[in-house]
Amino acid sequence: MNIALWIIQGLAAIGFVYSGWLKAFQYEQAKSSWGWVKDVSKGVVVFIGIVELLGALGLILPQATKIAPILSPIAATGLAAIVLLGALFHVSRKEYREIGVNIVFFALAALIAICRF
């Protein structure tokens, strides 16, 4: 079970790093990739990106280094909340195509949080 959980954590971290990197450091590319970015201030988009990057680090580093490993499920819980809020945002904008990605990453983050707590 531990190996499967590490694989899930790695996949989730990769996804959050990709998404966070685009939002935080490649705003123009994020703007062309995701329609919603045009309607939200750059500061909010960059903030979400930085939070996703920090959350991705939190999924891996505490557990891997065995330094405060309780931070990994806390990071997963935070990421699950961010993804859930993102899904609600997409529902309010009737962007139903975007919600599938949110559901997948919510499930991954929630599974990590539950199993690591």
Side-chain angles (χ1 to χ4, degrees), residues 1-59:
M1 178 67 175
N2 192 43
I3 293 172
L5 196 53
W6 271 113
I7 292 169
I8 293 167
Q9 281 177 252
L11 291 173
I14 289 168
F16 283 113
V17 164
Y18 172 75
S19 173
W21 187 264
L22 278 180
K23 291 171 189 159
F25 300 111
Q26 296 182 333
Y27 178 76
E28 292 304 318
Q29 186 176 348
K31 204 168 165 182
S32 66
S33 297
W34 300 309
W36 64 269
V37 174
K38 297 173 190 144
D39 300 330
V40 178
S41 73
K42 182 178 180 179
V44 171
V45 174
V46 170
F47 174 75
I48 293 168
I50 290 170
V51 169
E52 287 179 351
L53 288 169
L54 292 173
L57 290 174
L59 287 178

Side-chain angles (χ1 to χ4, degrees), residues 3 9 11 15 26 44 57 59 70 72 77 82 94 104 108 116:
I3 293 172
Q9 281 177 252
L11 291 173
Q26 296 182 333
V44 171
L57 290 174
L59 287 178
I70 190 66
S72 288
T77 302
I82 289 170
K94 296 180 177 45
V104 169
L108 292 173
R116 288 295 184 198

